[in-house]
Amino acid sequence: MAAYVHPYYPLGLELPGVQPLVMPFEKILAVFFTACGMALAAGWYMTGRAKFLSTGERSMACWFLCSGLIHLFVEGTVVLNSKFYQDTSGNILNEIWKEYSKADSRYATRDDFVISMEAVTAFIEGPGCLLIVWGLLKAKPWRYTAVLLVSLGQFYGDVLYFGTCLHGGMSRHTRPEFIYFWFYFIIVNGVWLVVPMACMIHAAKKINNAIEGTGEKKHA
């Protein structure tokens, strides 16, 4: 039997014990996006009980619930399991990373920056996202400060993620096919630029309005 030739870039990359996907990639994507949809739906249901939340705040809570779970469970897996590409059990979390590494092989090669960045994302920003959901549901006074801080971390991490890849040359780590480069690498990761920026703007407006209101009361 011929030895398995991995699909990761560069094609000559040495990954001892690398194994092919156990699941078809269509099933991997279906499971991942279904789980995301369920998290968003759960967030919408929970926030529906908090009648004081606006539609925008409910949407933000849904985002942080989904994002927090992704950070903790999906990104946490790649930080803790350096040999995910050797897995033959069909574990969905390992399968996700075996598939995504076609878009960025730095996860398989344990790039120092990428793994360090993912550790911060998984174990600091992940719990931070879930804390924000609780803060929004309970109308805690610190909720918008937390939104601003966590969103800034997400945005900055994504900027560095793209920047380091651009600096080193995207073709070094990323397959050129549309699904890997444009969908996985650009579009999916781009979500963590667009949404956190919108959350930061919303939080900054809320904080500014609160400070302005306090100032007006003092001068009244």
Side-chain angles (χ1 to χ4, degrees), residues 188-207:
V188 172
N189 285 297
V191 171
W192 272 270
L193 290 176
V194 176
V195 181
M197 176 59 75
C199 290
M200 283 190 287
I201 292 171
H202 179 78
K205 287 180 178 179
K206 289 286 188 178
I207 293 170

Side-chain angles (χ1 to χ4, degrees), residues 85-142:
Y85 56 81
Q86 296 179 353
D87 182 61
T88 58
S89 69
N91 180 295
I92 184 60
L93 295 173
N94 290 330
E95 292 293 285
I96 287 171
W97 286 110
K98 284 160 71 175
E99 175 65 12
Y100 181 77
S101 292
K102 297 173 187 175
D104 191 346
S105 65
R106 293 180 296 173
Y107 288 92
T109 58
R110 312 304 287 176
D111 177 84
D112 290 342
F113 165 75
V114 169
I115 300 305
S116 298
M117 179 269 295
E118 290 291 5
V120 172
T121 301
F123 304 121
I124 296 178
E125 293 172 12
C129 287
L130 302 183
L131 185 65
I132 288 169
V133 176
W134 182 71
L136 288 168
L137 288 171
K138 299 298 182 180
K140 295 296 182 179
W142 46 259

Side-chain angles (χ1 to χ4, degrees), residues 11-116:
L11 294 177
L13 192 65
E14 290 191 14
L15 294 172
V18 64
Q19 298 292 326
L21 291 172
V22 176
M23 297 182 185
F25 83 93
E26 297 93 342
K27 184 176 181 179
I28 296 170
L29 295 183
V31 171
F32 176 76
F33 286 111
T34 298
C36 289
M38 291 173 65
L40 293 171
W44 193 255
Y45 174 76
M46 285 191 302
T47 57
R49 298 183 175 186
K51 302 301 182 183
F52 56 88
L53 291 176
S54 67
T55 300
E57 289 168 328
R58 291 182 68 189
S59 299
M60 195 161 60
C62 293
W63 157 256
F64 281 111
L65 178 60
C66 182
S67 187
L69 293 174
I70 290 172
H71 291 336
L72 276 171
F73 294 103
V74 180
E75 292 169 275
T77 293
V78 80
V79 173
L80 298 176
N81 184 7
S82 62
K83 303 298 183 183
F84 65 86
Y85 56 81
Q86 296 179 353
D87 182 61
T88 58
S89 69
N91 180 295
I92 184 60
L93 295 173
N94 290 330
E95 292 293 285
I96 287 171
W97 286 110
K98 284 160 71 175
E99 175 65 12
Y100 181 77
S101 292
K102 297 173 187 175
D104 191 346
S105 65
R106 293 180 296 173
Y107 288 92
T109 58
R110 312 304 287 176
D111 177 84
D112 290 342
F113 165 75
V114 169
I115 300 305
S116 298

